[in-house]
Amino acid sequence: MKKKFTRNSAAFIGAALLMSVCSINVNAQTAAETAKMNAYVTGLMKKMTVDEKIGQLNLVTGGMAITGSVTNNGIGDGVKNGTIGGIFGLYGVAEVRKMQEAAVKGSRLHIPLIFGLDVIHGHRTIFPIPLGMSATWDLDLIKQSARIAAKEATAEGLNWVFSPMVDIARDARWGRISEGSGEDPYLGGRIAAAMVHGYQGTSLKNADAVMACVKHFALYGAAEAGREYNTVDMSRLAMYNYYLPPYKAAVDAGVGSIMSSFNVVDGVPSTVNKWLLTDLLRKQWGFKGFVVSDYTSLNEVTNHGLGDLKTVSSRAINAGLDMDMVGEGYLKTLKKSLQEKKVSMADIDRACRLILEAKYKLGLFDNPYKSLDAAREKSDIMTVANRVAARSAAEHSFVLLKNDDQILPLKKTGGSIALVGPLANNKRDMLGTWVIGGEWEKSVSVMEGIERVVGDKVKINYAKGSNITDDTTFIKRLNFGPGMVSLDKESPEDMIEDAVKAAKRSDIIVAVVGESQSMSGESSSRSDISIPESQQKMLRELKKLHKPMVLVLFNGRPLTLQWENDNATAILDVWAPGTEAGNAIANVLFGNYNPSGKLTTTFPRSVGQIPLYYNHLNTGRPYTTGPTKFKSNYLDIDNSPLYPFGYGLSYTKFQYSNLKLSKTNLKGNETLTATITVANTGNYTGEETVQLYIGDPEASISRPVKELKDFKKITLQVGQKKDVSFTITPDKLKFFNSNLKYDWEPGKFIIEVGTNSEITESATVNWMK
């Protein structure tokens, strides 16, 4: 029977043709813009000397943000001589303008500089640390945080940010776990793309857009023993299936630059690794931007045992490293290596071209001063709207780990609260790790936030209770910046006594405890990831009073909290919330916002379980229950985590039921729909992140017990039910097999949907090719 051609059919064909024409026009426009850029850069490079080309590959520090023992001198002369391509660690309209004018007006070819900075979780208005932001599971919120950071950074003359950090981390001892998005490659990739889009905006030429720099390429989060700058060793299968996907997602999102990591990959330091920087990144993934080293990572290749600075610099340029950060290896050795034919002019030209293309894409050749607007520097930074956004992000990032007897939310009127702990009346540690432009003096303390919410309607009895730590050696290590951690004049014993007295006069104890700003982040690995002993002593004494005790937990990593979980009435993990910390914490404690955060890293019971992560491979002797001998288990502790990946409570209750699959037998490119009913059976409106996991128990290689493949965040009113559906195609079944081919294999698959990685409803399908 012939199908009738309808008006709707014509409309559909017309729309398809219009889309096709639009696509052709966009592609033609892109091709024209690329051709124009190529012609401009080629023309410029024909005028450049070898020294000027090498100069473009030299990135120096302006001295405001230093992350190593080496700094640069003679920057002004270098800019005028054309031997500096970019500066980082320098910001502020007046300061940036001086340097840009020196480059544009003082150098022979008037080539503008690129200005970069570590803008990690906000520039002036500080958002929660990235690990906290990832706990929101809210991609729009994460993208918005990057967009605000870009606007503030450009308002102070910056056009390049060293973010996002997308390293997968399974070891909570590693300090920089705080700077990433946790342990899952799928979620990490989604967040990486959102951050790139937020930073770079609709066009890099916009005055409020910055070029993102994804880091650290690659595998840096797998440092052995969780120790910063340490070596990494893993199989290609682990790389491709678990650690590389977030970098790839950032490349697919159009990230403009990538930073090499300090570690080795297959025995070769990333900074000189041709397979990594050229074969994988450029040839396999099609990356078109430039690669910059980490802070003196090129020089440090010598320590890896690969030769002197001249030797490793020639290896780096041949491998595909385009820009050398701080170490001046390129500046001091490349010309001689060129004369000795150890490097080619083609490699120097390639790197130079990529740096110049980045500046062209940023619009700096059209207007080197495009973001240098003194009015914006006053009007676009730390605005009320920016602070409101930071407060909302913080509220969404908090994870309710425990809430016995529904002690939270607290009442806004009547009664009394003992507010204790070294982080309760503290502004400095609200911002968290790796904050360059943020001003801790402008942050809101927990005490200030609570006072704003309850005023004089609740009696607040405050006592500091303890130092962050009483260990003077530890304090010296924490104080890489002046005054970051100090000892109180009062003795530890007297401080605890003050806290006990405050608690005796109060109905409820709110103890604000955990890590200080410098206890996580770069160069902040810890072998003991518990709350410091000074604070534990205070908590143990408070527990003896047998009063309800709420812990507000500051941390840049998963902590071991077995005692706290067993003894506290409630635990609210607030990470390091940023500028609006106190306001956000008070809003959640007193019920103005119902917490909805979910963990993106597994919390161990003991540091001895590390590395501990949900998407592990199975073993031939898995432990379930029963006799423990000759199974894969510990003699002294349970295998399970204290809090699993995806975990997070709410003030309300969510009930999952009735998982339905549209089919149980599929073939080829069919589509499967998995639907589950979620009901709010509690007493508060709440948000819930519904998570989809898939297991592949019949594969050609051992596969994870389950993998996150999708998620949806929903809001339910009291008593409301909602059917949540996930669309599953063969793309969600793909993995890299032993031949590193990305494909799916037929067989049985276990579909799981639930509130976290451990509590799910499951069903099985058979899917044939």
Side-chain angles (χ1 to χ4, degrees):
M1 184 176 71
K2 291 184 178 181
K3 290 185 178 180
K4 186 178 181 181
F5 187 79
T6 65
R7 190 174 298 175
N8 287 340
S9 302
F12 177 80
I13 293 171
L17 288 172
L18 180 61
M19 290 176 63
S20 178
V21 170
C22 289
S23 178
I24 292 171
N25 289 341
V26 169
N27 291 336
Q29 183 180 0
T30 301
E33 290 173 353
T34 301
K36 185 179 178 182
M37 177 182 69
N38 289 340
Y40 183 90
V41 172
T42 298
L44 179 59
M45 289 182 65
K46 286 179 179 179
K47 303 173 187 177
M48 298 175 72
T49 65
V50 173
D51 288 327
E52 287 169 332
K53 289 178 179 179
I54 293 173
Q56 285 300 302
L57 317 185
N58 184 31
L59 177 66
V60 300
T61 175
M64 295 172 77
I66 298 171
T67 63
S69 59
V70 179
T71 57
N72 300 106
N73 297 314
I75 292 177
D77 292 337
V79 169
K80 292 177 181 177
N81 295 335
T83 58
I84 292 176
I87 298 175
F88 78 96
L90 181 73
Y91 55 97
V93 168
E95 291 78 7
V96 171
R97 184 177 289 278
K98 285 178 187 176
M99 283 296 181
Q100 194 68 293
E101 285 181 348
V104 174
K105 296 179 180 179
S107 66
R108 187 177 77 88
L109 293 175
H110 320 295
I111 299 174
L113 298 164
I114 186 172
F115 292 89
L117 190 70
D118 280 297
V119 175
I120 307 302
H121 49 112
H123 177 52
R124 291 292 190 179
T125 306
I126 305 302
F127 285 73
I129 57 170
L131 187 60
M133 286 299 298
S134 71
T136 68
W137 295 61
D138 190 324
L139 300 177
D140 289 337
L141 203 61
I142 291 167
K143 179 180 176 181
Q144 181 194 36
S145 74
R147 185 88 290 277
I148 289 172
K151 289 181 178 179
E152 291 196 342
T154 54
E156 293 204 297
L158 297 165
N159 37 48
W160 187 26
V161 296
F162 303 142
S163 176
M165 194 204 90
V166 303
D167 301 326
I168 293 298
R170 294 170 165 179
D171 192 331
R173 294 172 298 180
W174 188 54
R176 294 193 89 166
I177 194 171
S178 62
E179 205 178 319
S181 297
E183 68 190 44
D184 184 72
Y186 173 77
L187 179 60
R190 295 285 302 274
I191 291 173
M195 293 287 286
V196 169
H197 292 311
Y199 284 133
Q200 298 190 167
T202 56
S203 171
L204 283 172
K205 292 190 176 182
N206 292 340
D208 64 355
V210 292
M211 179 172 284
C213 182
V214 70
K215 61 186 187 184
H216 307 85
F217 194 64
L219 321 182
Y220 192 39
E224 286 186 0
R227 198 171 73 241
E228 190 72 71
Y229 316 121
N230 203 11
T231 195
V232 170
D233 189 14
M234 70 171 63
S235 69
R236 289 284 172 97
L237 277 176
M239 289 184 208
Y240 275 81
N241 281 313
Y242 312 121
Y243 285 86
L244 292 178
Y247 307 110
K248 176 65 160 53
V251 169
D252 291 344
V255 71
S257 63
I258 284 178
M259 183 182 293
S260 68
S261 57
F262 288 112
N263 56 278
V264 299
V265 174
D266 267 358
V268 180
S270 298
T271 301
V272 298
N273 193 314
K274 189 169 186 176
W275 173 81
L276 184 71
L277 303 184
T278 296
D279 296 344
L280 177 68
L281 182 60
R282 292 191 167 100
K283 293 180 180 178
Q284 289 187 35
W285 292 359
F287 176 62
K288 303 299 183 185
F290 72 93
V291 180
V292 62
S293 76
D294 206 335
Y295 200 111
T296 65
S297 69
L298 175 54
N299 310 65
E300 293 163 27
V301 173
T302 296
N303 292 338
H304 285 279
L306 273 70
D308 61 15
L309 183 60
K310 181 164 156 290
T311 300
V312 300
S313 295
S314 63
R315 281 195 64 165
I317 194 77
N318 293 333
L321 182 80
D322 305 306
M323 184 175 257
D324 173 18
M325 184 189 291
V326 177
E328 299 182 348
Y330 280 1
L331 189 69
K332 294 175 180 176
T333 71
L334 276 192
K335 190 173 183 180
K336 188 172 183 181
S337 293
L338 178 66
Q339 293 166 349
E340 295 174 352
K341 301 188 184 315
K342 299 288 179 62
V343 304
S344 70
M345 196 66 231
D347 278 324
I348 294 174
D349 280 346
R350 177 215 75 229
C352 180
R353 174 176 288 276
L354 289 171
I355 303 303
L356 296 175
E357 285 180 356
K359 294 178 179 182
Y360 186 95
K361 292 171 184 175
L362 283 163
L364 295 176
F365 287 108
D366 293 332
N367 181 7
Y369 314 107
K370 69 168 190 173
S371 299
L372 300 179
D373 182 347
R376 276 193 65 211
E377 190 172 27
K378 293 179 180 178
S379 65
D380 287 9
I381 291 173
M382 290 285 282
T383 64
V384 172
N386 289 357
R387 294 190 71 133
V388 167
R391 182 167 68 246
S392 177
E395 291 166 354
H396 284 73
S397 73
F398 300 162
V399 181
L400 185 60
L401 299 176
K402 184 180 181 182
N403 194 24
D404 282 0
D405 306 321
Q406 294 293 293
I407 189 71
L408 296 178
L410 301 173
K411 295 177 181 178
K412 297 178 186 176
T413 59
S416 56
I417 293 172
L419 181 63
V420 301
L423 296 162
N425 191 24
N426 174 320
K427 286 178 175 284
R428 179 184 281 276
D429 291 306
M430 299 299 98
L431 301 187
T433 181
W434 224 232
V435 172
I436 306 299
E439 300 165 274
W440 63 264
E441 299 90 346
K442 296 181 180 178
S443 65
V444 181
S445 72
V446 178
M447 177 178 279
E448 288 174 329
I450 289 176
E451 288 173 342
R452 288 176 185 175
V453 169
V454 301
D456 59 1
K457 296 178 181 177
V458 176
K459 174 66 175 174
I460 305 298
N461 297 309
Y462 167 74
K464 185 175 179 181
S466 77
N467 295 305
I468 292 288
T469 175
D470 296 332
D471 185 336
T472 55
T473 301
F474 192 21
I475 288 174
K476 288 178 182 178
R477 292 176 177 175
L478 293 174
N479 283 337
F480 66 88
M484 299 186 79
V485 179
S486 61
L487 289 175
D488 198 276
K489 294 179 181 179
E490 196 172 14
S491 72
E493 294 76 17
D494 288 344
M495 294 171 71
I496 291 176
E497 186 178 345
D498 290 344
V500 171
K501 287 178 180 178
K504 286 180 176 178
R505 301 195 306 269
S506 307
D507 302 314
I508 292 174
I509 302 165
V510 174
V512 189
V513 295
E515 293 188 312
S516 68
Q517 182 183 38
S518 54
M519 286 175 70
S520 60
E522 184 171 356
S523 193
S524 298
S525 297
R526 295 179 62 198
S527 65
D528 179 354
I529 56 171
S530 62
I531 291 173
E533 180 64 21
S534 58
Q535 301 176 56
Q536 289 187 33
K537 287 179 180 178
M538 177 192 70
L539 294 177
R540 292 189 192 108
E541 291 302 314
L542 293 171
K543 175 62 179 177
K544 293 176 182 178
L545 301 178
H546 303 291
K547 293 193 175 187
M549 183 164 63
V550 175
L551 302 189
V552 176
L553 183 69
F554 278 70
N555 51 315
R557 52 163 56 85
L559 299 178
T560 49
L561 302 169
Q562 189 68 66
W563 184 93
E564 291 79 4
N565 182 73
D566 292 343
N567 290 279
T569 314
I571 305 175
L572 180 68
D573 193 334
V574 301
W575 312 105
T579 303
E580 285 288 306
N583 288 333
I585 290 168
N587 280 343
V588 172
L589 286 177
F590 291 93
N592 292 342
Y593 178 76
N594 183 356
S596 63
K598 300 274 190 176
L599 297 179
T600 57
T601 48
T602 301
F603 276 49
R605 297 176 184 276
S606 163
V607 72
Q609 291 177 291
I610 291 174
L612 186 65
Y613 47 96
Y614 87 94
N615 52 344
H616 59 86
L617 302 183
N618 217 331
T619 170
R621 294 188 177 186
Y623 173 71
T624 52
T625 57
T628 59
K629 212 60 175 165
F630 309 116
K631 298 289 185 179
S632 183
N633 65 283
Y634 301 99
L635 289 175
D636 58 343
I637 195 173
D638 194 78
N639 285 8
S640 65
L642 185 61
Y643 309 119
F645 176 86
Y647 174 84
L649 303 177
S650 169
Y651 292 157
T652 195
K653 300 289 184 183
F654 295 105
Q655 184 180 76
Y656 285 69
S657 63
N658 199 26
L659 175 63
K660 292 182 179 178
L661 303 181
S662 59
K663 302 176 182 178
T664 54
N665 292 283
L666 298 95
K667 187 173 183 180
N669 289 322
E670 288 189 81
T671 296
L672 172 67
T673 301
T675 302
I676 198 163
T677 302
V678 184
N680 183 345
T681 60
N683 300 318
Y684 299 88
T685 296
E687 297 165 81
E688 170 72 343
T689 300
V690 185
Q691 302 158 40
L692 168 71
Y693 297 88
I694 298 179
D696 183 0
E698 296 179 352
S700 60
I701 61 172
S702 185
R703 301 278 291 122
V705 292
K706 65 183 70 176
E707 294 177 296
L708 180 73
K709 292 296 183 179
D710 206 348
F711 58 91
K712 290 184 178 179
K713 196 164 188 176
I714 62 172
T715 301
L716 293 177
Q717 306 296 319
V718 176
Q720 184 182 5
K721 290 183 179 180
K722 184 176 287 188
D723 287 340
V724 179
S725 295
F726 295 97
T727 300
I728 303 168
T729 66
D731 279 342
K732 291 193 183 298
L733 310 178
K734 290 182 177 179
F735 64 96
F736 287 94
N737 62 25
S738 55
N739 296 316
L740 295 184
K741 181 182 178 183
Y742 190 60
D743 200 2
W744 67 284
E745 299 171 350
K748 181 171 72 172
F749 297 91
I750 302 169
I751 310 300
E752 299 185 40
V753 182
T755 184
N756 62 56
S757 59
E758 287 195 349
I759 301 177
T760 61
E761 301 284 324
S762 66
T764 301
V765 299
N766 291 292
W767 208 320
M768 299 295 109
K769 279 200 169 182

